[in-house]
Amino acid sequence: MAKTLKRTAAFTALTKALVSGARGGPSIGKRVAALPRMLKATAKGQYDGGMRVALMAAATAYVISPIDLIPEAIFLIFGLADDAVMIAWLAGTVLSETERFLEWEKQRARTVVV
């Protein structure tokens, strides 16, 4: 029972942080809306996120792919562990990279072209 309460409290805190923007950062809505702009700016070579965006795409493909490094059907919990690690890394990377991109956009907007 205590583990369930701790887990519920942790997920509630995470949800609040994502929705409101943790530590004064952008909200999850702003981050999600920034993803297409980030991909477009990276593809055009305006934003320097090429390798990070490629790694995020590779991690996403790995998670949704039926081919795994450690198959779930054979190793059960251990098979899910590699996906869980990849999802945790991907979530953290997306959060940090979108925050970095939004800051980059602000800097570009402040720059006056003469």
Side-chain angles (χ1 to χ4, degrees):
M1 177 81 174
K3 284 184 180 180
T4 304
L5 291 175
K6 287 180 184 178
R7 190 176 301 135
T8 303
F11 280 116
T12 302
L14 177 63
T15 302
K16 285 180 182 177
L18 290 175
V19 171
S20 65
R23 291 178 272 137
S27 69
I28 192 72
K30 288 182 182 178
R31 292 172 190 269
V32 169
L35 281 172
R37 295 192 315 271
M38 182 175 72
L39 295 173
K40 186 177 178 181
T42 301
K44 287 183 174 182
Q46 299 169 335
Y47 179 63
D48 68 343
M51 182 56 76
R52 290 178 298 276
V53 170
L55 287 172
M56 289 187 294
T60 302
Y62 179 80
V63 169
I64 63 174
S65 169
I67 301 170
D68 274 345
L69 188 62
I70 303 172
E72 286 87 4
I74 299 171
F75 296 106
L76 301 175
I77 277 297
F78 297 110
L80 293 173
D82 67 328
D83 287 338
V85 167
M86 191 64 67
I87 290 169
W89 176 84
L90 182 60
T93 303
V94 168
L95 289 174
S96 66
E97 193 59 28
T98 52
E99 187 167 354
R100 184 174 173 269
F101 175 74
L102 289 168
E103 198 56 41
W104 175 80
E105 277 187 327
K106 282 182 189 177
Q107 292 299 325
R108 275 185 58 136
R110 290 181 195 153
T111 305
V112 177
V113 180
V114 190

